[in-house]
């Protein structure tokens, strides 16, 4: 038979998968089954061809031996390349030498889509040997890698455990506009867009909307994209990130720190419960945490940094480079901690100053080593204070009229935080580059795929 006939692509037709790889157990010995997936690797030993087929749950070995299957099937399996998508019908046989104690003896192969060439990377390796850009250019294939498949399965559990946790505490999930009229997060740059005949922006955060929604719903959360025109190339910034935004009425920043650390504990417990196999194959362990997380005042951190000889003055923001030495030396670098009570002048206009002094505000950053995972605060809930703070920060208050207007109708005391999901995944799974914690990263150099 000619190669083109052997490797002929077919429709799915009436073929349907009967079992996922993981469901094929020795109890199915001798049963006819249909598996579907893509070729993860092939190996030839004279008259025997081994093909490992991968599906979304795992892998199964197909063993084609001359005499045990038709020559056509053996030839088909001998010529296909890795990543070809196919279905195999055959008989289950217990096989102690195969990776999961079982193999499939094929009697029919249906090729759905042939891989035309070898991928520029090996999906078996936990750490890839090619640069991240090569992988990102073919991201859908790169995501077939064991490590990333496990990582994104864990991301899914992270999100569902956050929803479970907040739902049980009486929060409702909300969605707020992503095309907006004004900036909320001072320093972070905006992406302008055309909105009919006006200039508008992509939302840097759902901040003002989530605050307003506490007026009706008290406790709200949103999991959605935030857009930041980050000018720098770093391993911790994306232009489009996912934020877990929480806002709670009748509470302050201390309540929110308690809530956030319990939420992180719940996430870690959920991942440990549901992803033992993934963690094992990733050779990873989640950070071991103890609550409450330590809380250090901004003043204390500045003193410690100055004592180390760092060039930092009171009132400066604390950047990760400066924190690196301190977090290794003073804190265990693999741990969560809060920096609280920041100078009012370097936090956004909606953050409430402390009652002790208005030079400081009721704010926190959640850190892991030198990486910022979240920031949060008690918010100003009185109009005259908000107006005063906006003026101090040089904002045009007229642009915020749509927001200030609701303050005439009883805004409850409230507090909240935003967690960067990708940064949280980085620390949970020890991912070095934030691009690997998102499906299709966006950064200053990348708008495709
Ligand atoms: P902030 O600007 O500190 O606060 O953002 C909150 C968290 O979002 C993540 N994050 C990012 N992650 C990846 N790439 C980026 N470019 C990026 N920018 C931010 C970080 C950060 O800690 N409205 C407030 C939150 C609040 O007070 O509720 C806010 O946006 O993990």
């Amino acid at each position: 038979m000619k190669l083109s006939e052997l490797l002929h692509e077919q429709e799915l037709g009436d073929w349907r998968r009967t079992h996922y790889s993981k469901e094929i157990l020795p109890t199915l010995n001798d049963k006819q089954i249909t598996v579907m997936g893509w070729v993860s690797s092939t190996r030839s030993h004279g008259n025997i061809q081994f093909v490992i087929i991968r599906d979304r749950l795992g892998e199964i070995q197909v063993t084609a031996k001359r005499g045990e299957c038709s020559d056509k099937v053996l030839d088909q399996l001998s010529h296909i390349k890795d990543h070809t998508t196919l279905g195999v019908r055959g008989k289950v046989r217990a096989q102690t030498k195969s990776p999961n104690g079982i193999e499939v003896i094929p009697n029919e192969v249906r090729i759905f889509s042939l891989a035309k060439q070898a991928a520029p990377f090996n999906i078996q390796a936990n750490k890839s040997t090619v640069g991240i850009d090569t992988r990102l250019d073919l991201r859908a294939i790169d995501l077939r890698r064991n490590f990333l498949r496990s990582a994104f399965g864990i991301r899914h559990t992270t999100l569902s455990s956050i929803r479970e946790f907040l739902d049980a505490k009486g929060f409702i999930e909300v969605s707020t506009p992503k095309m907006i009229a004004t900036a909320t997060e001072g320093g972070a740059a905006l992406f302008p867009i055309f909105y009919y005949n006006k200039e508008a922006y992509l939302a840097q955060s759902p901040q003002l909307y989530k605050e307003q929604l506490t007026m009706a719903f008290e406790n709200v959360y949103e999991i959605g994209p935030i857009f930041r025109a980050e000018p720098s190339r770093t391993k911790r910034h994306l232009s489009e990130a996912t934020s877990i935004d929480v806002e709670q009425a009748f509470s302050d920043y201390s309540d929110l720190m308690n809530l956030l650390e319990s939420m992180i504990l719940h996430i870690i417990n959920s991942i440990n419960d549901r992803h033992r196999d993934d963690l094992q194959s990733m050779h990873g362990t989640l950070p071991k945490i103890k609550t409450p997380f330590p809380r250090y005042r901004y003043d204390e951190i500045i003193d410690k940094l100055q004592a180390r000889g760092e060039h930092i003055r009171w009132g400066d923001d604390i950047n990760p480079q400066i924190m690196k030495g301190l977090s290794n030396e003073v804190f265990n670098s693999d741990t969560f901690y809060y920096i609280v009570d920041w100078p009012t002048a370097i936090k956004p206009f909606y953050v409430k100053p402390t009652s002790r002094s208005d030079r400081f505000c009721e704010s926190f950053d959640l850190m892991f080593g030198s990486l910022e995972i979240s920031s949060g605060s008690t918010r100003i809930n009185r109009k005259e204070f908000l107006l005063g703070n906006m003026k101090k920060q040089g904002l045009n208050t007229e642009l915020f009229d749509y927001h200030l207007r609701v303050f005439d109708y009883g805004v409850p005391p409230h507090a909240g935080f935003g967690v960067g999901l990708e940064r949280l995944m980085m620390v949970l799974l020890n991912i070095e580059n934030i691009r690997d914690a998102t499906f299709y990263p966006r950064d200053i150099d990348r708008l495709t795929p």
Side-chain angles (χ1 to χ4, degrees):
M1 203 181 265
K2 283 201 292 203
L3 203 56
S4 60
E5 283 168 47
L6 273 179
L7 301 184
H8 162 63
E9 290 171 328
Q10 286 178 277
E11 297 299 314
L12 177 67
D14 59 357
W15 276 45
R16 291 295 176 271
R17 161 193 282 138
T18 59
H19 296 79
Y20 278 105
S21 55
K22 262 201 169 162
E23 297 164 345
I24 306 171
L25 303 170
T27 47
L28 292 175
N29 200 24
D30 262 0
K31 287 246 158 39
Q32 287 291 333
I33 56 155
T34 304
V35 291
M36 290 185 183
W38 62 91
V39 174
S40 136
S41 63
T42 59
R43 201 156 41 91
S44 179
H45 274 291
N47 279 334
I48 310 184
Q49 181 69 29
F50 298 102
V51 173
I52 305 290
I53 296 189
R54 218 142 130 58
D55 56 28
R56 72 183 177 86
L57 296 184
E59 294 185 338
I60 180 77
Q61 176 175 302
V62 174
T63 309
K65 192 172 180 186
R66 196 170 301 283
E68 261 188 359
C69 65
S70 69
D71 287 354
K72 179 183 171 193
V73 165
L74 183 65
D75 285 348
Q76 280 178 308
L77 292 177
S78 308
H79 286 97
I80 47 174
K81 290 196 165 68
D82 289 1
H83 294 289
T84 290
T85 305
L86 79 180
V88 174
R89 279 187 171 158
K91 205 196 292 181
V92 177
R93 186 164 72 188
Q95 169 58 268
T96 46
K97 286 190 208 136
S98 88
N100 38 2
I102 208 86
E103 63 186 355
V104 175
I105 312 302
N107 46 40
E108 203 180 338
V109 170
R110 193 170 277 196
I111 295 170
F112 303 124
S113 173
L114 278 170
K116 310 280 185 308
Q117 53 189 329
F121 40 75
N122 169 9
I123 62 160
Q124 313 291 348
N126 259 0
K127 283 238 181 291
S128 176
T129 46
V130 303
I132 191 159
D133 276 313
T134 308
R135 295 197 286 107
L136 291 175
D137 287 343
L138 267 184
R139 186 60 158 169
I141 319 309
D142 183 40
L143 289 168
R144 285 177 164 170
R145 255 175 348 118
N146 292 344
F147 182 87
L148 289 179
R149 246 184 13 163
S150 295
F152 284 96
I154 291 175
R155 176 190 188 270
H156 173 74
T157 295
T158 303
L159 289 175
S160 47
S161 67
I162 289 170
R163 291 191 164 100
E164 276 157 27
F165 176 85
L166 293 171
D167 295 353
K169 295 221 176 292
F171 281 79
I172 70 161
E173 184 166 359
V174 298
S175 303
T176 64
K178 299 301 159 221
M179 295 186 282
I180 57 163
T182 52
T184 56
E185 308 305 330
L190 288 159
F191 281 111
I193 53 168
F194 292 113
Y195 191 75
Y196 302 104
N197 59 350
K198 283 197 218 89
E199 190 180 52
Y201 307 99
L202 294 177
Q204 295 164 309
S205 101
Q207 185 62 37
L208 305 184
Y209 293 100
K210 67 173 177 165
E211 286 193 54
Q212 291 197 8
L213 289 172
T214 64
M215 296 179 73
F217 302 104
E218 298 196 21
N219 307 332
V220 297
Y221 71 93
E222 173 164 12
I223 299 173
I226 56 169
F227 302 93
R228 312 235 168 156
E230 299 288 351
S232 47
R233 295 169 176 85
T234 78
K235 290 185 175 175
R236 55 178 200 284
H237 287 98
L238 293 167
S239 315
E240 180 173 349
T242 309
S243 176
I244 302 146
D245 270 280
V246 170
E247 205 67 24
Q248 184 169 38
F250 306 108
S251 1
D252 70 5
Y253 73 140
S254 177
D255 301 311
L256 269 289
M257 283 188 270
N258 296 340
L259 183 78
L260 177 52
E261 62 200 21
S262 323
M263 186 171 100
I264 289 184
L265 187 62
H266 179 75
I267 296 168
I268 290 183
N269 289 341
S270 307
I271 298 172
N272 273 327
D273 285 351
R274 298 175 213 173
H275 290 275
R276 200 162 306 168
D277 291 353
D278 286 312
L279 291 170
Q280 209 171 14
S281 70
M282 295 165 95
H283 309 298
T285 48
L286 298 176
K288 298 209 178 10
I289 62 166
K290 257 204 337 247
T291 55
F293 296 160
R295 298 175 188 187
Y296 301 96
R297 279 181 298 100
Y298 171 88
D299 277 5
E300 278 176 79
I301 300 283
I302 294 293
D303 287 348
K304 284 188 205 297
L305 287 170
Q306 286 175 344
R308 278 175 55 84
E310 300 286 359
H311 292 290
I312 189 163
R313 284 169 312 181
W314 193 94
D316 288 347
D317 203 356
I318 301 173
N319 67 46
Q321 278 74 27
I322 277 195
M323 274 311 282
K324 215 160 213 148
L326 191 65
S327 69
N328 285 338
E329 192 180 289
V330 180
F331 323 113
N332 171 354
S333 63
D334 293 333
T335 195
F336 289 101
Y337 62 95
Y338 289 113
I339 304 179
V340 303
D341 297 353
W342 289 72
T344 309
I346 57 170
K347 284 289 177 185
F349 64 87
Y350 50 80
V351 178
K352 189 180 176 194
T354 61
S355 49
R356 171 168 63 91
S357 155
D358 61 11
R359 288 176 70 219
F360 297 94
C361 58
E362 296 196 359
S363 54
F364 63 84
D365 278 7
L366 174 66
M367 308 290 295
F368 185 92
S370 58
L371 187 67
E372 178 198 316
I373 308 301
S374 171
S375 52
S377 57
T378 313
R379 324 299 194 183
I380 297 175
N381 71 317
R382 303 232 174 83
K383 190 176 189 171
E384 60 282 13
F385 291 152
L386 192 59
L387 269 169
N389 231 21
M390 290 171 103
K391 282 182 188 144
K392 264 191 218 155
Q393 297 207 359
L395 295 171
N396 178 354
T397 55
E398 270 170 32
L399 294 177
F400 291 87
D401 191 46
Y402 71 96
H403 181 56
L404 290 163
R405 164 180 324 155
V406 305
F407 282 69
D408 291 335
Y409 302 91
V411 177
H414 62 286
F417 59 75
V419 177
L421 173 66
E422 294 81 9
R423 292 207 183 164
L424 180 63
M425 298 320 300
M426 284 173 81
V427 304
L428 292 180
L429 300 178
N430 205 6
I431 293 173
E432 191 204 336
N433 190 327
I434 196 166
R435 288 160 188 76
D436 261 335
T438 194
F439 293 97
Y440 293 100
R442 290 286 173 267
D443 62 38
I444 192 168
D445 301 312
R446 185 172 285 279
L447 191 55
T448 59

